[in-house]
Amino acid sequence: MTDRSPPTPKLRRSILQWAAAAPLVALPTLSLGQTNAAPASTDAFKPRVGQEGKDVIWVPTPDKLVHRMLQMAMVGPSDFVVDLGSGDGKIAIAAARDFKARAMGVEFNPQMVTLSRRAAVEAGVAERVQFEEGDIFKVDFSKASVVTMYLLPTLNLKLRPTLLAMRPGTRIVSHQFMMGSWEPDDNSNVEDRPGYLWIVPASVGGNWTMTSRGPDGESDAGVAFSQSFQKVSGRARMGEINASMRQVRLVGDRIDFEMMDQRGMLRVYEGRVSAERIEGRTVASNGATGSFVATRTGPMLPVETGRE
Protein backbone atom coordinates (compact mmCIF):
# COMPACT_ATOMS: atom_id res chain seq x y z
CA MET A 1 0.00 0.00 0.00
CA THR A 2 1.17 3.47 -0.60
CA ASP A 3 -0.27 5.58 -1.11
CA ARG A 4 -12.72 11.63 12.64
CA SER A 5 -14.10 14.81 13.88
CA PRO A 6 -12.18 17.80 12.50
CA PRO A 7 -9.33 19.24 14.61
CA THR A 8 -10.25 21.86 17.17
CA PRO A 9 -9.26 25.48 16.50
CA LYS A 10 -6.97 25.30 19.54
CA LEU A 11 -5.07 22.29 18.16
CA ARG A 12 -4.82 23.89 14.72
CA ARG A 13 -3.41 27.07 16.29
CA SER A 14 -0.87 24.99 18.20
CA ILE A 15 0.31 23.25 15.04
CA LEU A 16 0.48 26.52 13.12
CA GLN A 17 2.42 28.21 15.94
CA TRP A 18 4.83 25.31 16.13
CA ALA A 19 5.39 25.29 12.36
CA ALA A 20 5.97 29.04 12.26
CA ALA A 21 8.55 28.86 15.04
CA ALA A 22 10.34 25.69 13.98
CA PRO A 23 13.81 26.20 12.51
CA LEU A 24 14.44 25.29 8.92
CA VAL A 25 15.83 21.77 8.65
CA ALA A 26 19.00 21.26 6.64
CA LEU A 27 17.95 18.95 3.85
CA PRO A 28 20.08 15.88 3.18
CA THR A 29 21.65 15.30 -0.18
CA LEU A 30 19.87 12.41 -1.83
CA SER A 31 22.89 10.55 -3.13
CA LEU A 32 21.87 6.93 -2.98
CA GLY A 33 23.83 5.68 -5.96
CA GLN A 34 20.72 5.63 -8.09
CA THR A 35 19.33 7.81 -10.84
CA ASN A 36 15.89 9.16 -11.51
CA ALA A 37 16.47 9.16 -15.25
CA ALA A 38 13.71 7.35 -17.13
CA PRO A 39 14.93 4.09 -18.74
CA ALA A 40 15.51 4.32 -22.46
CA SER A 41 13.51 1.19 -23.21
CA THR A 42 9.76 0.94 -22.85
CA ASP A 43 8.73 -0.85 -19.69
CA ALA A 44 5.53 -2.85 -20.20
CA PHE A 45 4.94 -3.21 -16.44
CA LYS A 46 1.65 -1.77 -15.20
CA PRO A 47 0.75 -1.96 -11.52
CA ARG A 48 -2.41 -3.79 -10.55
CA VAL A 49 -4.53 -2.85 -7.55
CA GLY A 50 -4.26 -5.70 -5.07
CA GLN A 51 -0.93 -7.01 -6.34
CA GLU A 52 1.18 -8.70 -3.70
CA GLY A 53 4.10 -6.87 -2.10
CA LYS A 54 6.60 -7.77 0.60
CA ASP A 55 4.35 -6.92 3.57
CA VAL A 56 1.15 -5.56 2.00
CA ILE A 57 -0.85 -5.56 -1.19
CA TRP A 58 -0.74 -2.43 -3.33
CA VAL A 59 -3.75 -0.10 -3.11
CA PRO A 60 -3.11 3.54 -4.12
CA THR A 61 -4.15 6.44 -1.92
CA PRO A 62 -6.71 8.68 -3.69
CA ASP A 63 -5.23 11.89 -5.08
CA LYS A 64 -7.49 14.15 -2.99
CA LEU A 65 -6.45 12.37 0.20
CA VAL A 66 -2.78 12.59 -0.79
CA HIS A 67 -3.16 16.35 -1.07
CA ARG A 68 -4.98 16.57 2.26
CA MET A 69 -2.39 14.44 4.05
CA LEU A 70 0.39 16.71 2.85
CA GLN A 71 -1.65 19.73 3.90
CA MET A 72 -2.14 18.29 7.39
CA ALA A 73 1.62 17.79 7.66
CA MET A 74 2.07 21.43 6.54
CA VAL A 75 4.65 20.37 3.97
CA GLY A 76 6.69 23.18 2.46
CA PRO A 77 9.92 23.92 0.57
CA SER A 78 12.07 23.37 3.68
CA ASP A 79 10.80 19.82 4.19
CA PHE A 80 12.26 16.45 3.33
CA VAL A 81 9.36 14.02 2.86
CA VAL A 82 9.89 10.25 2.98
CA ASP A 83 7.11 7.94 1.79
CA LEU A 84 7.39 4.43 3.22
CA GLY A 85 6.10 1.84 0.76
CA SER A 86 5.93 4.38 -2.04
CA GLY A 87 4.37 2.15 -4.72
CA ASP A 88 3.86 4.18 -7.88
CA GLY A 89 5.48 7.23 -6.27
CA LYS A 90 2.44 9.50 -6.23
CA ILE A 91 2.87 10.84 -2.69
CA ALA A 92 6.55 11.73 -3.06
CA ILE A 93 5.89 13.27 -6.46
CA ALA A 94 2.95 15.30 -5.13
CA ALA A 95 5.11 16.59 -2.25
CA ALA A 96 7.67 17.89 -4.75
CA ARG A 97 5.27 19.10 -7.43
CA ASP A 98 2.55 20.70 -5.31
CA PHE A 99 4.41 21.65 -2.12
CA LYS A 100 7.95 22.25 -3.46
CA ALA A 101 9.52 19.86 -0.94
CA ARG A 102 12.31 17.39 -1.50
CA ALA A 103 11.16 13.81 -1.23
CA MET A 104 12.20 10.19 -1.25
CA GLY A 105 10.14 7.07 -1.79
CA VAL A 106 11.15 3.69 -0.37
CA GLU A 107 9.68 0.72 -2.24
CA PHE A 108 10.53 -2.99 -2.20
CA ASN A 109 9.26 -3.82 -5.71
CA PRO A 110 11.93 -2.87 -8.30
CA GLN A 111 9.34 -2.56 -11.08
CA MET A 112 7.41 0.01 -9.03
CA VAL A 113 10.64 1.89 -8.40
CA THR A 114 11.32 2.08 -12.14
CA LEU A 115 7.74 3.20 -12.74
CA SER A 116 8.07 5.89 -10.04
CA ARG A 117 11.29 7.27 -11.48
CA ARG A 118 9.68 7.59 -14.90
CA ALA A 119 6.66 9.33 -13.36
CA ALA A 120 8.95 11.80 -11.57
CA VAL A 121 10.62 12.69 -14.87
CA GLU A 122 7.25 13.13 -16.57
CA ALA A 123 6.08 15.36 -13.69
CA GLY A 124 9.21 17.49 -13.99
CA VAL A 125 10.33 16.86 -10.39
CA ALA A 126 13.15 14.34 -10.88
CA GLU A 127 15.65 16.84 -9.44
CA ARG A 128 13.78 16.89 -6.11
CA VAL A 129 12.55 13.29 -5.81
CA GLN A 130 14.55 10.10 -5.26
CA PHE A 131 13.21 6.55 -5.25
CA GLU A 132 15.09 3.81 -3.46
CA GLU A 133 14.52 0.09 -3.77
CA GLY A 134 14.64 -1.20 -0.22
CA ASP A 135 13.00 -2.48 2.94
CA ILE A 136 11.26 0.19 5.03
CA PHE A 137 12.56 -1.49 8.19
CA LYS A 138 16.16 -1.31 7.04
CA VAL A 139 16.42 2.04 5.24
CA ASP A 140 17.59 5.01 7.32
CA PHE A 141 15.00 7.80 7.02
CA SER A 142 15.92 9.57 10.26
CA LYS A 143 16.59 12.90 8.49
CA ALA A 144 13.04 13.19 7.21
CA SER A 145 10.94 16.07 8.53
CA VAL A 146 7.74 14.41 7.25
CA VAL A 147 6.99 10.68 6.93
CA THR A 148 4.00 9.40 4.96
CA MET A 149 2.66 5.87 4.73
CA TYR A 150 -0.25 3.59 3.89
CA LEU A 151 0.62 0.37 5.67
CA LEU A 152 -1.16 -2.04 8.00
CA PRO A 153 -1.75 -1.51 11.75
CA THR A 154 0.80 -4.19 12.63
CA LEU A 155 3.42 -2.51 10.48
CA ASN A 156 2.61 0.91 11.93
CA LEU A 157 3.18 -0.50 15.42
CA LYS A 158 6.42 -2.14 14.33
CA LEU A 159 7.61 1.22 12.97
CA ARG A 160 6.38 3.22 15.96
CA PRO A 161 9.58 3.03 18.07
CA THR A 162 11.62 4.24 15.09
CA LEU A 163 9.18 7.08 14.44
CA LEU A 164 9.14 8.16 18.08
CA ALA A 165 12.94 8.29 18.08
CA MET A 166 12.94 10.88 15.28
CA ARG A 167 13.53 14.58 15.88
CA PRO A 168 10.72 16.12 17.97
CA GLY A 169 8.41 17.99 15.63
CA THR A 170 8.70 15.45 12.82
CA ARG A 171 5.26 14.98 11.25
CA ILE A 172 3.91 11.50 10.52
CA VAL A 173 0.89 11.04 8.23
CA SER A 174 -0.91 7.76 7.65
CA HIS A 175 -3.74 6.80 5.32
CA GLN A 176 -6.39 4.61 6.95
CA PHE A 177 -4.48 3.06 9.85
CA MET A 178 -3.47 4.38 13.26
CA MET A 179 -0.66 3.83 15.79
CA GLY A 180 -2.29 1.85 18.54
CA SER A 181 -2.43 3.84 21.80
CA TRP A 182 -0.55 6.79 20.26
CA GLU A 183 -3.52 8.99 19.41
CA PRO A 184 -3.28 11.29 16.39
CA ASP A 185 -2.88 15.05 16.73
CA ASP A 186 -5.13 15.70 13.73
CA ASN A 187 -7.31 13.78 11.31
CA SER A 188 -9.30 14.35 8.14
CA ASN A 189 -11.76 12.36 6.06
CA VAL A 190 -11.78 12.73 2.29
CA GLU A 191 -14.43 10.80 0.40
CA ASP A 192 -14.76 8.46 3.42
CA ARG A 193 -11.04 7.74 3.46
CA PRO A 194 -9.31 8.77 6.70
CA GLY A 195 -5.90 10.35 7.10
CA TYR A 196 -4.14 10.82 10.44
CA LEU A 197 -1.37 13.13 11.62
CA TRP A 198 1.06 12.66 14.51
CA ILE A 199 3.74 15.11 15.62
CA VAL A 200 6.68 13.39 17.27
CA PRO A 201 6.80 14.66 20.88
CA ALA A 202 9.87 15.56 22.88
CA SER A 203 10.61 13.50 25.98
CA VAL A 204 9.64 15.52 29.07
CA GLY A 205 8.59 12.79 31.50
CA GLY A 206 10.47 12.75 34.79
CA ASN A 207 11.95 15.24 37.22
CA TRP A 208 13.26 18.76 36.58
CA THR A 209 14.50 21.72 38.58
CA MET A 210 12.98 24.99 37.36
CA THR A 211 14.11 28.55 37.99
CA SER A 212 11.79 31.42 37.09
CA ARG A 213 12.88 35.05 36.81
CA GLY A 214 10.70 38.15 36.58
CA PRO A 215 10.17 41.70 37.86
CA ASP A 216 9.38 40.36 41.34
CA GLY A 217 12.59 38.34 41.59
CA GLU A 218 13.68 34.73 41.20
CA SER A 219 12.04 31.53 42.42
CA ASP A 220 12.85 27.83 42.24
CA ALA A 221 10.60 24.79 41.96
CA GLY A 222 10.95 21.05 41.62
CA VAL A 223 8.89 19.88 38.66
CA ALA A 224 7.64 16.39 37.77
CA PHE A 225 6.04 15.65 34.41
CA SER A 226 4.08 12.50 33.59
CA GLN A 227 3.93 11.73 29.87
CA SER A 228 2.11 9.36 27.57
CA PHE A 229 3.11 10.27 24.03
CA GLN A 230 2.05 13.93 23.50
CA LYS A 231 -0.24 13.93 26.56
CA VAL A 232 1.46 15.45 29.57
CA SER A 233 0.50 16.42 33.11
CA GLY A 234 2.71 17.99 35.73
CA ARG A 235 3.15 19.13 39.31
CA ALA A 236 5.54 21.56 40.95
CA ARG A 237 6.83 21.70 44.51
CA MET A 238 7.58 25.22 45.80
CA GLY A 239 8.62 24.97 49.43
CA GLU A 240 5.60 23.61 51.30
CA ILE A 241 3.32 24.01 48.29
CA ASN A 242 2.75 21.13 45.87
CA ALA A 243 0.77 22.56 42.94
CA SER A 244 -0.65 21.10 39.77
CA MET A 245 -0.04 22.50 36.31
CA ARG A 246 -2.99 23.55 34.17
CA GLN A 247 -3.52 23.31 30.43
CA VAL A 248 -0.30 21.39 29.70
CA ARG A 249 0.21 21.11 25.96
CA LEU A 250 3.15 19.48 24.15
CA VAL A 251 3.54 19.93 20.38
CA GLY A 252 6.85 18.60 19.10
CA ASP A 253 9.51 20.35 21.18
CA ARG A 254 7.15 23.14 22.32
CA ILE A 255 5.58 22.89 25.78
CA ASP A 256 3.08 25.32 27.34
CA PHE A 257 1.41 25.19 30.74
CA GLU A 258 -0.14 27.40 33.40
CA MET A 259 0.78 27.38 37.08
CA MET A 260 0.04 29.50 40.14
CA ASP A 261 3.28 30.44 41.86
CA GLN A 262 3.88 30.59 45.61
CA ARG A 263 2.85 34.26 45.66
CA GLY A 264 -0.58 33.39 44.26
CA MET A 265 0.14 34.74 40.78
CA LEU A 266 -1.10 32.65 37.84
CA ARG A 267 1.54 32.44 35.13
CA VAL A 268 1.67 31.04 31.61
CA TYR A 269 4.90 29.21 30.74
CA GLU A 270 5.91 28.81 27.09
CA GLY A 271 9.07 26.80 26.47
CA ARG A 272 11.15 24.83 24.03
CA VAL A 273 12.51 21.41 25.03
CA SER A 274 16.00 20.15 24.33
CA ALA A 275 17.28 16.82 25.62
CA GLU A 276 18.16 18.03 29.13
CA ARG A 277 16.77 21.55 29.25
CA ILE A 278 13.58 23.58 28.80
CA GLU A 279 13.87 27.31 28.23
CA GLY A 280 11.20 29.90 27.61
CA ARG A 281 9.21 32.85 28.83
CA THR A 282 6.49 33.48 31.37
CA VAL A 283 3.52 35.82 31.29
CA ALA A 284 1.77 36.62 34.56
CA SER A 285 -1.94 37.33 34.87
CA ASN A 286 -1.06 40.98 35.59
CA GLY A 287 0.82 41.19 32.28
CA ALA A 288 4.35 41.04 33.71
CA THR A 289 6.77 38.96 31.64
CA GLY A 290 9.77 36.90 32.67
CA SER A 291 11.78 33.83 31.76
CA PHE A 292 12.33 30.32 33.04
CA VAL A 293 14.85 27.51 32.69
CA ALA A 294 14.27 23.89 33.70
CA THR A 295 17.07 21.33 33.94
CA ARG A 296 16.46 17.60 33.94
CA THR A 297 17.49 15.93 37.20
CA GLY A 298 16.65 12.34 36.38
CA PRO A 299 16.87 9.99 33.41
CA MET A 300 15.20 10.78 30.09
CA LEU A 301 12.15 8.52 29.97
CA PRO A 302 10.55 6.95 26.88
CA VAL A 303 7.60 8.99 25.68
CA GLU A 304 5.34 5.91 25.70
CA THR A 305 5.87 5.33 29.42
CA GLY A 306 7.26 8.62 30.66
CA ARG A 307 5.73 8.40 34.12
CA GLU A 308 7.26 8.13 37.55
Side-chain angles (χ1 to χ4, degrees):
M1 295 179 180
T2 56
D3 245 12
R4 269 179 196 214
S5 61
T8 65
K10 185 174 182 180
L11 173 59
R12 176 59 65 189
R13 284 196 302 271
S14 297
I15 296 172
L16 286 169
Q17 290 167 355
W18 166 80
L24 295 181
V25 178
L27 298 177
T29 301
L30 301 179
S31 55
L32 299 168
Q34 300 180 358
T35 175
N36 271 345
S41 60
T42 300
D43 188 351
F45 171 75
K46 292 183 180 180
R48 174 179 51 83
V49 174
Q51 69 185 25
E52 293 290 335
K54 175 181 177 292
D55 298 301
V56 296
I57 62 173
W58 179 66
V59 179
T61 297
D63 292 345
K64 290 182 179 179
L65 182 57
V66 169
H67 191 80
R68 183 59 181 174
M69 288 168 62
L70 295 172
Q71 283 182 326
M72 283 198 297
M74 305 187 75
V75 174
S78 66
D79 283 311
F80 175 43
V81 180
V82 174
D83 185 29
L84 301 178
S86 54
D88 62 0
K90 66 157 53 180
I91 293 182
I93 290 171
R97 182 191 63 224
D98 303 332
F99 296 85
K100 310 307 178 187
R102 288 177 63 83
M104 181 175 77
V106 181
E107 171 56 46
F108 193 79
N109 184 328
Q111 293 176 303
M112 295 293 262
V113 172
T114 299
L115 182 74
S116 299
R117 292 176 182 162
R118 179 179 292 111
V121 172
E122 293 172 352
V125 295
E127 294 298 316
R128 295 200 303 276
V129 181
Q130 182 79 36
F131 291 99
E132 177 175 358
E133 179 186 339
D135 188 325
I136 61 174
F137 295 104
K138 297 178 180 179
V139 170
D140 179 10
F141 55 90
S142 60
K143 292 183 179 180
S145 57
V146 177
V147 177
T148 62
M149 55 194 187
Y150 181 15
L151 303 170
L152 294 172
T154 54
L155 301 181
N156 285 5
L157 287 177
K158 187 176 178 180
L159 280 168
R160 195 173 79 177
T162 300
L163 298 171
L164 285 168
M166 297 182 74
R167 183 180 65 86
T170 301
R171 289 91 77 201
I172 316 296
V173 196
S174 170
H175 172 194
Q176 190 70 41
F177 299 114
M178 296 177 61
M179 295 274 188
S181 57
W182 185 12
E183 297 181 5
D185 292 286
D186 196 0
N187 65 81
S188 288
N189 241 287
V190 180
E191 298 177 345
D192 294 324
R193 304 289 287 274
Y196 302 99
L197 167 75
W198 294 261
I199 300 173
V200 175
S203 172
V204 298
N207 295 320
W208 304 73
T209 297
M210 184 173 74
T211 299
S212 302
R213 298 178 177 87
D216 51 357
E218 182 176 297
S219 61
D220 295 322
V223 171
F225 288 115
S226 295
Q227 178 174 11
S228 177
F229 303 105
Q230 74 272 43
K231 296 184 177 181
V232 178
S233 61
R235 299 192 68 84
R237 178 172 290 280
M238 301 164 285
E240 297 179 349
I241 300 173
N242 190 332
S244 66
M245 295 178 179
R246 313 177 187 179
Q247 306 291 329
V248 185
R249 182 174 66 249
L250 178 65
V251 181
D253 66 351
R254 291 296 187 120
I255 188 167
D256 302 337
F257 56 90
E258 297 177 3
M259 189 175 70
M260 183 170 288
D261 67 17
Q262 60 266 52
R263 300 179 180 89
M265 181 70 70
L266 183 65
R267 300 182 188 273
V268 175
Y269 295 74
E270 301 172 342
R272 183 183 288 270
V273 185
S274 64
E276 305 295 330
R277 195 174 175 89
I278 304 173
E279 294 186 67
R281 70 169 194 147
T282 65
V283 181
S285 54
N286 65 1
T289 61
S291 63
F292 78 97
V293 175
T295 304
R296 195 187 294 271
T297 58
M300 181 183 294
L301 303 177
V303 300
E304 306 100 313
T305 57
R307 296 187 177 92
E308 287 196 339

